[in-house]
């Protein structure tokens, strides 16, 4: 078969067809590109404009200033104080290692701080700053400003930090603030939690009032180059401070009571008997909330944790103690309601036989009635009368007056203790109530456990004759306070017996108020901690009995009630009652109260603030020695 010769015409036609195919393909590709460019420039314009803007403009969140906490008279309890801080912007660091060495030298950073900064730098992202130090002394801040041109990426600035003017005196009342943890951030995914300098309430009122005092963050938009260099600042949005919250606390009384506690471990609560306002909420010893808010070191935490007086425990809300004989006024009201004749005589020979056990009293009081049994704190009388009454009804009366009750207060983790009864015992331990249960309960031992708030509420209710409820926030709506469902004559009888405890021949006669025309009524209590064979008033501190005292004044027209517990204090009359005496004196005559405090603080080595400053210096010295 012969092949046709390929002529120039054939070649021209073939080339033309190929050119048309390739030209069509190029045109199609060009059309696609033009279409895509059109789509990107028109339909996707907003999306890519935003991406470009986010690369050019960064937003720095400005933490809000927390709202103040003030006392009933407007005196600051928790405020914000202007300070200096130093941050690092990771993207602007040119020589990270050299910069950190310079900062460590200028700011005197310890190894714990350097480890934390390195860890935060590794986890940093975007233009997010990393905190180096806060509350920087002015001298260090000024030294850093001189060296600033040599330290790219370092950003010193002025800010605000939380400050507690009364220090440890309010620690367990207000708590403290701290940097949000990773777990707290994961719960909310709030970008504010990643902002250097931002802190949230970690304990106490700072935690429970967080929604009110946090405030609204501001923002600062800044323009940066592709390498992260700052070009200019754009339209700042100021933050809005949180709300100011007014407490029922009297700051002066709070500080005085904390100072009067000295080196004791315990708690004191003072209350207005008419309104229920808590005037003092003291748990001692305590930590310095300023140290915690600035970031506590490992050494300080270790020393606080190992202290046998447990300064990290809020004893007012979480401490539970046997009530001891402070329960006796309430027991007397329960006996009266069940028909016990208050004039009935009982001979105390030093104890009572119950079953096969002899319950021994602290003394043989001779012949007593209800009045003198309260005045002299005769255990045997209350054991005997307890056996003649219904323990279920008795417990209901004591609980009604406040022991074992939980109160609606903005306090996290409130423990309310136990006021045992036959029904409670059956439900919890599946056994019947026995005579020895009655004996123990009648004098505030056995299963009886109360907290210091209840120690103030019970005398407040007896004094006022109302079912008054404790209150901590001034803004809380006031509700009508109903009268106690107790015979007024019974209340008057018990009040007079409590007045005799302090002002006649009772157990707290040494704590009579040094005020003309103002008498205090009260009741001492000594709560056994260990069995008789192991305990002792002069032995090891941890083996001593707890000392308690409850009281109200004036005895004839009550205005204030106070409950106090001194852990392992020995006797209520010698350890707790004098503290209540001086604290009550403060409410009527501040000058006399401080005159009584001055020689005591001289014995203790200075005021609470002075002793706290020495302790912080000691902790810093130990920390430096450990890191050397």
């Amino acid at each position: 078969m012969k092949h046709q010769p390929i002529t120039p015409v054939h070649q021209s036609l073939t080339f033309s067809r190929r050119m048309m195919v390739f030209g069509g393909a190029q045109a199609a590709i060009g059309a696609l590109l033009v279409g895509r460019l059109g789509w990107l420039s028109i339909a996707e314009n907003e999306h890519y404009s935003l991406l470009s803007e986010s690369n050019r403009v960064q937003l720095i969140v400005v933490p809000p200033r927390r709202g103040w906490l003030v006392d009933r008279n407007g005196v600051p309890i928790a405020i914000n104080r202007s300070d200096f801080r130093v941050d690092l912007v990771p993207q602007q660091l040119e020589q990270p290692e050299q910069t950190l060495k310079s900062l460590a030298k200028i700011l005197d950073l310890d190894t714990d701080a350097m480890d934390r900064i390195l860890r935060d730098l590794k986890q940093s992202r975007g233009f997010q700053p990393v905190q180096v130090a806060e509350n920087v002394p002015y001298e260090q801040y000024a030294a850093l400003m001189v060296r600033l041109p040599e330290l790219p990426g370092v950003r010193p600035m002025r800010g605000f930090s939380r400050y507690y003017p009364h220090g440890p005196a309010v620690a367990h009342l207000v708590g403290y603030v701290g940097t949000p943890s990773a777990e707290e951030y994961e719960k909310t995914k709030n970008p504010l939690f990643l902002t250097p300098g931002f802190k949230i309430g970690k304990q106490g009122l700072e935690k429970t009032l967080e929604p009110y005092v946090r405030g609204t963050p501001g923002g600062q938009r800044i323009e940066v180059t592709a390498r992260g260099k700052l070009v200019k600042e754009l339209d700042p949005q100021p933050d809005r401070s949180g709300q100011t919250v007014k407490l029922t606390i009297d700051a002066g009384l709070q500080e005085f009571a904390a100072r009067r506690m000295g080196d004791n471990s315990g708690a004191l609560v003072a209350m207005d008997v008419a309104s229920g306002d808590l005037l003092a909420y003291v748990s001692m010893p305590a930590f310095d909330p300023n140290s915690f808010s600035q970031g506590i070191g490992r050494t300080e935490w270790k020393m606080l944790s190992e202290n046998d007086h447990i300064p990290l425990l809020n004893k007012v809300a979480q401490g539970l103690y046997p009530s001891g004989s402070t329960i006796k006024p309430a027991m007397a009201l329960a006996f009266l309601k069940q028909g016990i004749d208050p004039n009935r005589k009982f001979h105390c020979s030093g104890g009572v036989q119950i079953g096969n056990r002899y319950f021994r009293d602290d003394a043989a009081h001779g012949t007593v009635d209800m009045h003198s049994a309260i005045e002299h704190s005769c255990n045997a009388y209350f054991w005997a009368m307890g056996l003649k009454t219904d323990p279920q009804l008795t417990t209901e009366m004591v609980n009604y007056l406040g022991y074992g009750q939980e109160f609606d207060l903005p306090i996290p983790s409130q423990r309310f203790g136990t006021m045992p009864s036959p029904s409670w015992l059956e439900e919890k331990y599946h056994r019947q109530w026995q005579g020895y249960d009655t004996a123990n309960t009648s004098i505030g031992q056995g299963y009886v456990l109360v907290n210091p708030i209840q120690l103030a509420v019970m005398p407040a209710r007896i004094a006022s004759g109302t079912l008054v409820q404790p209150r901590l926030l001034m803004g809380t709506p006031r509700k009508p306070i109903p009268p106690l469902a107790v015979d007024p004559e019974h209340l008057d009888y018990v009040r007079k017996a409590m007045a005799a405890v302090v002002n006649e021949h009772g157990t707290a006669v040494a704590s009579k108020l040094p005020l003309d025309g103002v008498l205090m009524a009260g009741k001492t209590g000594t709560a056994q901690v260990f069995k008789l064979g192991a305990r002792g008033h002069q032995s090891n501190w941890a083996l001593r009995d707890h000392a308690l005292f409850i009281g109200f004044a004036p005895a004839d027209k009550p205005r204030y009630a106070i409950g106090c517990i001194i852990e392992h204090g020995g006797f209520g009359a010698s350890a707790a009652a004098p503290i209540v005496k001086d604290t009550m004196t403060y409410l009527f005559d501040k000058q006399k109260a401080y005159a009584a405090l001055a020689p005591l603080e001289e014995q203790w080595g200075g005021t609470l603030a002075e002793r706290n400053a020495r302790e912080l210096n000691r902790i810093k010295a130990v920390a430096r020695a450990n890191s050397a």
Side-chain angles (χ1 to χ4, degrees), residues 333 400-401 458 460-468 481-488 491 495:
L333 288 172
Y400 178 66
L401 292 172
M458 198 263 274
R461 289 180 175 177
I462 292 176
S464 66
T466 65
L467 200 62
V468 64
I481 303 175
L484 286 176
V486 178
D487 189 324
L491 284 171
R495 289 179 195 134

mmCIF file with all atom_site columns, all heavy atoms in Angstrom, residues 333 400-401 458 460-468 481-488 491 495:
data_model
loop_
_atom_site.group_PDB
_atom_site.id
_atom_site.type_symbol
_atom_site.label_atom_id
_atom_site.label_alt_id
_atom_site.label_comp_id
_atom_site.label_asym_id
_atom_site.label_entity_id
_atom_site.label_seq_id
_atom_site.pdbx_PDB_ins_code
_atom_site.Cartn_x
_atom_site.Cartn_y
_atom_site.Cartn_z
_atom_site.occupancy
_atom_site.B_iso_or_equiv
_atom_site.pdbx_formal_charge
_atom_site.auth_seq_id
_atom_site.auth_comp_id
_atom_site.auth_asym_id
_atom_site.auth_atom_id
_atom_site.pdbx_PDB_model_num
ATOM 1   N N   . LEU A 1 333 ? -32.658 25.738 128.527 1.00 0.00 ? 333 LEU A N   1
ATOM 2   C CA  . LEU A 1 333 ? -33.923 26.110 127.882 1.00 0.00 ? 333 LEU A CA  1
ATOM 3   C C   . LEU A 1 333 ? -34.709 24.872 127.456 1.00 0.00 ? 333 LEU A C   1
ATOM 4   O O   . LEU A 1 333 ? -35.943 24.847 127.531 1.00 0.00 ? 333 LEU A O   1
ATOM 5   C CB  . LEU A 1 333 ? -33.647 27.012 126.673 1.00 0.00 ? 333 LEU A CB  1
ATOM 6   C CG  . LEU A 1 333 ? -33.193 28.436 127.007 1.00 0.00 ? 333 LEU A CG  1
ATOM 7   C CD1 . LEU A 1 333 ? -32.750 29.174 125.740 1.00 0.00 ? 333 LEU A CD1 1
ATOM 8   C CD2 . LEU A 1 333 ? -34.314 29.209 127.699 1.00 0.00 ? 333 LEU A CD2 1
ATOM 9   N N   . TYR A 1 400 ? -32.249 24.257 117.241 1.00 0.00 ? 400 TYR A N   1
ATOM 10  C CA  . TYR A 1 400 ? -33.082 25.426 116.928 1.00 0.00 ? 400 TYR A CA  1
ATOM 11  C C   . TYR A 1 400 ? -32.362 26.722 117.298 1.00 0.00 ? 400 TYR A C   1
ATOM 12  O O   . TYR A 1 400 ? -32.498 27.742 116.620 1.00 0.00 ? 400 TYR A O   1
ATOM 13  C CB  . TYR A 1 400 ? -34.404 25.301 117.690 1.00 0.00 ? 400 TYR A CB  1
ATOM 14  C CG  . TYR A 1 400 ? -35.366 26.451 117.532 1.00 0.00 ? 400 TYR A CG  1
ATOM 15  C CD1 . TYR A 1 400 ? -35.957 26.732 116.304 1.00 0.00 ? 400 TYR A CD1 1
ATOM 16  C CD2 . TYR A 1 400 ? -35.718 27.242 118.629 1.00 0.00 ? 400 TYR A CD2 1
ATOM 17  C CE1 . TYR A 1 400 ? -36.863 27.777 116.170 1.00 0.00 ? 400 TYR A CE1 1
ATOM 18  C CE2 . TYR A 1 400 ? -36.620 28.275 118.508 1.00 0.00 ? 400 TYR A CE2 1
ATOM 19  C CZ  . TYR A 1 400 ? -37.193 28.546 117.269 1.00 0.00 ? 400 TYR A CZ  1
ATOM 20  O OH  . TYR A 1 400 ? -38.090 29.579 117.141 1.00 0.00 ? 400 TYR A OH  1
ATOM 21  N N   . LEU A 1 401 ? -31.561 26.673 118.349 1.00 0.00 ? 401 LEU A N   1
ATOM 22  C CA  . LEU A 1 401 ? -30.824 27.854 118.796 1.00 0.00 ? 401 LEU A CA  1
ATOM 23  C C   . LEU A 1 401 ? -29.510 28.062 118.033 1.00 0.00 ? 401 LEU A C   1
ATOM 24  O O   . LEU A 1 401 ? -28.824 29.054 118.261 1.00 0.00 ? 401 LEU A O   1
ATOM 25  C CB  . LEU A 1 401 ? -30.548 27.761 120.293 1.00 0.00 ? 401 LEU A CB  1
ATOM 26  C CG  . LEU A 1 401 ? -31.795 27.866 121.190 1.00 0.00 ? 401 LEU A CG  1
ATOM 27  C CD1 . LEU A 1 401 ? -31.453 27.559 122.633 1.00 0.00 ? 401 LEU A CD1 1
ATOM 28  C CD2 . LEU A 1 401 ? -32.428 29.251 121.074 1.00 0.00 ? 401 LEU A CD2 1
ATOM 29  N N   . MET A 1 458 ? -25.753 31.212 118.655 1.00 0.00 ? 458 MET A N   1
ATOM 30  C CA  . MET A 1 458 ? -26.538 30.751 119.799 1.00 0.00 ? 458 MET A CA  1
ATOM 31  C C   . MET A 1 458 ? -26.719 31.839 120.874 1.00 0.00 ? 458 MET A C   1
ATOM 32  O O   . MET A 1 458 ? -27.835 32.136 121.283 1.00 0.00 ? 458 MET A O   1
ATOM 33  C CB  . MET A 1 458 ? -25.929 29.482 120.388 1.00 0.00 ? 458 MET A CB  1
ATOM 34  C CG  . MET A 1 458 ? -26.899 28.713 121.273 1.00 0.00 ? 458 MET A CG  1
ATOM 35  S SD  . MET A 1 458 ? -26.691 29.083 123.011 1.00 0.00 ? 458 MET A SD  1
ATOM 36  C CE  . MET A 1 458 ? -25.410 27.910 123.427 1.00 0.00 ? 458 MET A CE  1
ATOM 37  N N   . ALA A 1 460 ? -26.468 35.002 120.418 1.00 0.00 ? 460 ALA A N   1
ATOM 38  C CA  . ALA A 1 460 ? -27.201 36.104 119.788 1.00 0.00 ? 460 ALA A CA  1
ATOM 39  C C   . ALA A 1 460 ? -28.707 35.838 119.821 1.00 0.00 ? 460 ALA A C   1
ATOM 40  O O   . ALA A 1 460 ? -29.507 36.749 120.063 1.00 0.00 ? 460 ALA A O   1
ATOM 41  C CB  . ALA A 1 460 ? -26.729 36.293 118.347 1.00 0.00 ? 460 ALA A CB  1
ATOM 42  N N   . ARG A 1 461 ? -29.107 34.599 119.609 1.00 0.00 ? 461 ARG A N   1
ATOM 43  C CA  . ARG A 1 461 ? -30.525 34.254 119.630 1.00 0.00 ? 461 ARG A CA  1
ATOM 44  C C   . ARG A 1 461 ? -31.085 34.292 121.059 1.00 0.00 ? 461 ARG A C   1
ATOM 45  O O   . ARG A 1 461 ? -32.206 34.765 121.277 1.00 0.00 ? 461 ARG A O   1
ATOM 46  C CB  . ARG A 1 461 ? -30.748 32.880 118.986 1.00 0.00 ? 461 ARG A CB  1
ATOM 47  C CG  . ARG A 1 461 ? -30.538 32.905 117.474 1.00 0.00 ? 461 ARG A CG  1
ATOM 48  C CD  . ARG A 1 461 ? -30.756 31.557 116.807 1.00 0.00 ? 461 ARG A CD  1
ATOM 49  N NE  . ARG A 1 461 ? -30.652 31.696 115.354 1.00 0.00 ? 461 ARG A NE  1
ATOM 50  C CZ  . ARG A 1 461 ? -30.739 30.687 114.495 1.00 0.00 ? 461 ARG A CZ  1
ATOM 51  N NH1 . ARG A 1 461 ? -30.914 29.434 114.953 1.00 0.00 ? 461 ARG A NH1 1
ATOM 52  N NH2 . ARG A 1 461 ? -30.644 30.907 113.196 1.00 0.00 ? 461 ARG A NH2 1
ATOM 53  N N   . ILE A 1 462 ? -30.317 33.808 122.009 1.00 0.00 ? 462 ILE A N   1
ATOM 54  C CA  . ILE A 1 462 ? -30.762 33.866 123.405 1.00 0.00 ? 462 ILE A CA  1
ATOM 55  C C   . ILE A 1 462 ? -30.871 35.322 123.852 1.00 0.00 ? 462 ILE A C   1
ATOM 56  O O   . ILE A 1 462 ? -31.828 35.721 124.525 1.00 0.00 ? 462 ILE A O   1
ATOM 57  C CB  . ILE A 1 462 ? -29.806 33.080 124.312 1.00 0.00 ? 462 ILE A CB  1
ATOM 58  C CG1 . ILE A 1 462 ? -29.907 31.575 124.013 1.00 0.00 ? 462 ILE A CG1 1
ATOM 59  C CG2 . ILE A 1 462 ? -30.099 33.353 125.774 1.00 0.00 ? 462 ILE A CG2 1
ATOM 60  C CD1 . ILE A 1 462 ? -28.929 30.718 124.789 1.00 0.00 ? 462 ILE A CD1 1
ATOM 61  N N   . ALA A 1 463 ? -29.895 36.147 123.458 1.00 0.00 ? 463 ALA A N   1
ATOM 62  C CA  . ALA A 1 463 ? -29.875 37.552 123.868 1.00 0.00 ? 463 ALA A CA  1
ATOM 63  C C   . ALA A 1 463 ? -31.013 38.350 123.249 1.00 0.00 ? 463 ALA A C   1
ATOM 64  O O   . ALA A 1 463 ? -31.655 39.169 123.922 1.00 0.00 ? 463 ALA A O   1
ATOM 65  C CB  . ALA A 1 463 ? -28.539 38.177 123.498 1.00 0.00 ? 463 ALA A CB  1
ATOM 66  N N   . SER A 1 464 ? -31.279 38.134 121.961 1.00 0.00 ? 464 SER A N   1
ATOM 67  C CA  . SER A 1 464 ? -32.281 38.930 121.254 1.00 0.00 ? 464 SER A CA  1
ATOM 68  C C   . SER A 1 464 ? -33.684 38.360 121.368 1.00 0.00 ? 464 SER A C   1
ATOM 69  O O   . SER A 1 464 ? -34.670 39.078 121.165 1.00 0.00 ? 464 SER A O   1
ATOM 70  C CB  . SER A 1 464 ? -31.904 39.038 119.772 1.00 0.00 ? 464 SER A CB  1
ATOM 71  O OG  . SER A 1 464 ? -31.968 37.758 119.145 1.00 0.00 ? 464 SER A OG  1
ATOM 72  N N   . GLY A 1 465 ? -33.785 37.060 121.668 1.00 0.00 ? 465 GLY A N   1
ATOM 73  C CA  . GLY A 1 465 ? -35.092 36.419 121.699 1.00 0.00 ? 465 GLY A CA  1
ATOM 74  C C   . GLY A 1 465 ? -35.687 36.251 120.315 1.00 0.00 ? 465 GLY A C   1
ATOM 75  O O   . GLY A 1 465 ? -36.897 36.072 120.159 1.00 0.00 ? 465 GLY A O   1
ATOM 76  N N   . THR A 1 466 ? -34.825 36.313 119.268 1.00 0.00 ? 466 THR A N   1
ATOM 77  C CA  . THR A 1 466 ? -35.299 36.175 117.891 1.00 0.00 ? 466 THR A CA  1
ATOM 78  C C   . THR A 1 466 ? -34.495 35.096 117.167 1.00 0.00 ? 466 THR A C   1
ATOM 79  O O   . THR A 1 466 ? -33.396 34.724 117.596 1.00 0.00 ? 466 THR A O   1
ATOM 80  C CB  . THR A 1 466 ? -35.150 37.494 117.118 1.00 0.00 ? 466 THR A CB  1
ATOM 81  O OG1 . THR A 1 466 ? -33.754 37.824 116.999 1.00 0.00 ? 466 THR A OG1 1
ATOM 82  C CG2 . THR A 1 466 ? -35.891 38.619 117.823 1.00 0.00 ? 466 THR A CG2 1
ATOM 83  N N   . LEU A 1 467 ? -35.044 34.651 116.056 1.00 0.00 ? 467 LEU A N   1
ATOM 84  C CA  . LEU A 1 467 ? -34.372 33.648 115.235 1.00 0.00 ? 467 LEU A CA  1
ATOM 85  C C   . LEU A 1 467 ? -33.451 34.369 114.244 1.00 0.00 ? 467 LEU A C   1
ATOM 86  O O   . LEU A 1 467 ? -33.557 34.217 113.023 1.00 0.00 ? 467 LEU A O   1
ATOM 87  C CB  . LEU A 1 467 ? -35.400 32.784 114.506 1.00 0.00 ? 467 LEU A CB  1
ATOM 88  C CG  . LEU A 1 467 ? -34.932 31.414 113.993 1.00 0.00 ? 467 LEU A CG  1
ATOM 89  C CD1 . LEU A 1 467 ? -34.495 30.536 115.155 1.00 0.00 ? 467 LEU A CD1 1
ATOM 90  C CD2 . LEU A 1 467 ? -36.050 30.735 113.209 1.00 0.00 ? 467 LEU A CD2 1
ATOM 91  N N   . VAL A 1 468 ? -32.552 35.166 114.769 1.00 0.00 ? 468 VAL A N   1
ATOM 92  C CA  . VAL A 1 468 ? -31.673 35.988 113.941 1.00 0.00 ? 468 VAL A CA  1
ATOM 93  C C   . VAL A 1 468 ? -30.732 35.101 113.126 1.00 0.00 ? 468 VAL A C   1
ATOM 94  O O   . VAL A 1 468 ? -30.271 34.063 113.596 1.00 0.00 ? 468 VAL A O   1
ATOM 95  C CB  . VAL A 1 468 ? -30.889 36.977 114.840 1.00 0.00 ? 468 VAL A CB  1
ATOM 96  C CG1 . VAL A 1 468 ? -29.966 36.226 115.802 1.00 0.00 ? 468 VAL A CG1 1
ATOM 97  C CG2 . VAL A 1 468 ? -30.101 37.966 114.011 1.00 0.00 ? 468 VAL A CG2 1
ATOM 98  N N   . ILE A 1 481 ? -37.369 39.210 111.022 1.00 0.00 ? 481 ILE A N   1
ATOM 99  C CA  . ILE A 1 481 ? -36.791 38.214 111.918 1.00 0.00 ? 481 ILE A CA  1
ATOM 100 C C   . ILE A 1 481 ? -37.859 37.756 112.906 1.00 0.00 ? 481 ILE A C   1
ATOM 101 O O   . ILE A 1 481 ? -38.325 38.550 113.730 1.00 0.00 ? 481 ILE A O   1
ATOM 102 C CB  . ILE A 1 481 ? -35.583 38.796 112.680 1.00 0.00 ? 481 ILE A CB  1
ATOM 103 C CG1 . ILE A 1 481 ? -34.538 39.310 111.687 1.00 0.00 ? 481 ILE A CG1 1
ATOM 104 C CG2 . ILE A 1 481 ? -34.970 37.732 113.592 1.00 0.00 ? 481 ILE A CG2 1
ATOM 105 C CD1 . ILE A 1 481 ? -33.360 40.013 112.340 1.00 0.00 ? 481 ILE A CD1 1
ATOM 106 N N   . PRO A 1 482 ? -38.273 36.489 112.845 1.00 0.00 ? 482 PRO A N   1
ATOM 107 C CA  . PRO A 1 482 ? -39.330 36.017 113.743 1.00 0.00 ? 482 PRO A CA  1
ATOM 108 C C   . PRO A 1 482 ? -38.823 35.845 115.171 1.00 0.00 ? 482 PRO A C   1
ATOM 109 O O   . PRO A 1 482 ? -37.627 35.599 115.385 1.00 0.00 ? 482 PRO A O   1
ATOM 110 C CB  . PRO A 1 482 ? -39.729 34.670 113.137 1.00 0.00 ? 482 PRO A CB  1
ATOM 111 C CG  . PRO A 1 482 ? -38.486 34.199 112.438 1.00 0.00 ? 482 PRO A CG  1
ATOM 112 C CD  . PRO A 1 482 ? -37.808 35.429 111.923 1.00 0.00 ? 482 PRO A CD  1
ATOM 113 N N   . PRO A 1 483 ? -39.703 35.963 116.165 1.00 0.00 ? 483 PRO A N   1
ATOM 114 C CA  . PRO A 1 483 ? -39.287 35.722 117.553 1.00 0.00 ? 483 PRO A CA  1
ATOM 115 C C   . PRO A 1 483 ? -39.048 34.234 117.779 1.00 0.00 ? 483 PRO A C   1
ATOM 116 O O   . PRO A 1 483 ? -39.587 33.381 117.070 1.00 0.00 ? 483 PRO A O   1
ATOM 117 C CB  . PRO A 1 483 ? -40.474 36.232 118.366 1.00 0.00 ? 483 PRO A CB  1
ATOM 118 C CG  . PRO A 1 483 ? -41.639 36.099 117.444 1.00 0.00 ? 483 PRO A CG  1
ATOM 119 C CD  . PRO A 1 483 ? -41.112 36.360 116.060 1.00 0.00 ? 483 PRO A CD  1
ATOM 120 N N   . LEU A 1 484 ? -38.237 33.922 118.773 1.00 0.00 ? 484 LEU A N   1
ATOM 121 C CA  . LEU A 1 484 ? -38.004 32.530 119.135 1.00 0.00 ? 484 LEU A CA  1
ATOM 122 C C   . LEU A 1 484 ? -39.284 31.919 119.712 1.00 0.00 ? 484 LEU A C   1
ATOM 123 O O   . LEU A 1 484 ? -40.024 32.580 120.452 1.00 0.00 ? 484 LEU A O   1
ATOM 124 C CB  . LEU A 1 484 ? -36.898 32.420 120.179 1.00 0.00 ? 484 LEU A CB  1
ATOM 125 C CG  . LEU A 1 484 ? -35.456 32.633 119.722 1.00 0.00 ? 484 LEU A CG  1
ATOM 126 C CD1 . LEU A 1 484 ? -34.519 32.578 120.931 1.00 0.00 ? 484 LEU A CD1 1
ATOM 127 C CD2 . LEU A 1 484 ? -35.034 31.602 118.684 1.00 0.00 ? 484 LEU A CD2 1
ATOM 128 N N   . ALA A 1 485 ? -39.514 30.664 119.376 1.00 0.00 ? 485 ALA A N   1
ATOM 129 C CA  . ALA A 1 485 ? -40.656 29.943 119.949 1.00 0.00 ? 485 ALA A CA  1
ATOM 130 C C   . ALA A 1 485 ? -40.252 29.384 121.313 1.00 0.00 ? 485 ALA A C   1
ATOM 131 O O   . ALA A 1 485 ? -40.248 28.171 121.552 1.00 0.00 ? 485 ALA A O   1
ATOM 132 C CB  . ALA A 1 485 ? -41.095 28.827 119.006 1.00 0.00 ? 485 ALA A CB  1
ATOM 133 N N   . VAL A 1 486 ? -39.851 30.302 122.191 1.00 0.00 ? 486 VAL A N   1
ATOM 134 C CA  . VAL A 1 486 ? -39.386 29.953 123.530 1.00 0.00 ? 486 VAL A CA  1
ATOM 135 C C   . VAL A 1 486 ? -40.075 30.896 124.516 1.00 0.00 ? 486 VAL A C   1
ATOM 136 O O   . VAL A 1 486 ? -40.231 32.088 124.243 1.00 0.00 ? 486 VAL A O   1
ATOM 137 C CB  . VAL A 1 486 ? -37.856 30.096 123.648 1.00 0.00 ? 486 VAL A CB  1
ATOM 138 C CG1 . VAL A 1 486 ? -37.384 29.776 125.064 1.00 0.00 ? 486 VAL A CG1 1
ATOM 139 C CG2 . VAL A 1 486 ? -37.153 29.179 122.640 1.00 0.00 ? 486 VAL A CG2 1
ATOM 140 N N   . ASP A 1 487 ? -40.487 30.369 125.651 1.00 0.00 ? 487 ASP A N   1
ATOM 141 C CA  . ASP A 1 487 ? -41.134 31.185 126.684 1.00 0.00 ? 487 ASP A CA  1
ATOM 142 C C   . ASP A 1 487 ? -40.209 32.337 127.092 1.00 0.00 ? 487 ASP A C   1
ATOM 143 O O   . ASP A 1 487 ? -39.063 32.101 127.505 1.00 0.00 ? 487 ASP A O   1
ATOM 144 C CB  . ASP A 1 487 ? -41.437 30.299 127.903 1.00 0.00 ? 487 ASP A CB  1
ATOM 145 C CG  . ASP A 1 487 ? -42.304 30.999 128.930 1.00 0.00 ? 487 ASP A CG  1
ATOM 146 O OD1 . ASP A 1 487 ? -42.140 32.225 129.117 1.00 0.00 ? 487 ASP A OD1 1
ATOM 147 O OD2 . ASP A 1 487 ? -43.130 30.320 129.568 1.00 0.00 ? 487 ASP A OD2 1
ATOM 148 N N   . PRO A 1 488 ? -40.664 33.609 127.002 1.00 0.00 ? 488 PRO A N   1
ATOM 149 C CA  . PRO A 1 488 ? -39.824 34.754 127.379 1.00 0.00 ? 488 PRO A CA  1
ATOM 150 C C   . PRO A 1 488 ? -39.299 34.671 128.809 1.00 0.00 ? 488 PRO A C   1
ATOM 151 O O   . PRO A 1 488 ? -38.184 35.130 129.085 1.00 0.00 ? 488 PRO A O   1
ATOM 152 C CB  . PRO A 1 488 ? -40.768 35.950 127.194 1.00 0.00 ? 488 PRO A CB  1
ATOM 153 C CG  . PRO A 1 488 ? -41.759 35.495 126.178 1.00 0.00 ? 488 PRO A CG  1
ATOM 154 C CD  . PRO A 1 488 ? -41.960 34.033 126.446 1.00 0.00 ? 488 PRO A CD  1
ATOM 155 N N   . LEU A 1 491 ? -36.253 32.504 128.762 1.00 0.00 ? 491 LEU A N   1
ATOM 156 C CA  . LEU A 1 491 ? -35.116 33.235 128.215 1.00 0.00 ? 491 LEU A CA  1
ATOM 157 C C   . LEU A 1 491 ? -34.532 34.186 129.257 1.00 0.00 ? 491 LEU A C   1
ATOM 158 O O   . LEU A 1 491 ? -33.307 34.278 129.416 1.00 0.00 ? 491 LEU A O   1
ATOM 159 C CB  . LEU A 1 491 ? -35.540 34.021 126.969 1.00 0.00 ? 491 LEU A CB  1
ATOM 160 C CG  . LEU A 1 491 ? -35.739 33.224 125.675 1.00 0.00 ? 491 LEU A CG  1
ATOM 161 C CD1 . LEU A 1 491 ? -36.375 34.103 124.609 1.00 0.00 ? 491 LEU A CD1 1
ATOM 162 C CD2 . LEU A 1 491 ? -34.402 32.673 125.171 1.00 0.00 ? 491 LEU A CD2 1
ATOM 163 N N   . ARG A 1 495 ? -30.712 34.155 130.709 1.00 0.00 ? 495 ARG A N   1
ATOM 164 C CA  . ARG A 1 495 ? -29.864 35.343 130.546 1.00 0.00 ? 495 ARG A CA  1
ATOM 165 C C   . ARG A 1 495 ? -29.275 35.781 131.890 1.00 0.00 ? 495 ARG A C   1
ATOM 166 O O   . ARG A 1 495 ? -28.097 36.135 131.978 1.00 0.00 ? 495 ARG A O   1
ATOM 167 C CB  . ARG A 1 495 ? -30.683 36.501 129.947 1.00 0.00 ? 495 ARG A CB  1
ATOM 168 C CG  . ARG A 1 495 ? -31.068 36.331 128.484 1.00 0.00 ? 495 ARG A CG  1
ATOM 169 C CD  . ARG A 1 495 ? -31.887 37.521 128.031 1.00 0.00 ? 495 ARG A CD  1
ATOM 170 N NE  . ARG A 1 495 ? -32.566 37.263 126.764 1.00 0.00 ? 495 ARG A NE  1
ATOM 171 C CZ  . ARG A 1 495 ? -33.843 37.555 126.529 1.00 0.00 ? 495 ARG A CZ  1
ATOM 172 N NH1 . ARG A 1 495 ? -34.598 38.106 127.479 1.00 0.00 ? 495 ARG A NH1 1
ATOM 173 N NH2 . ARG A 1 495 ? -34.370 37.304 125.345 1.00 0.00 ? 495 ARG A NH2 1
#
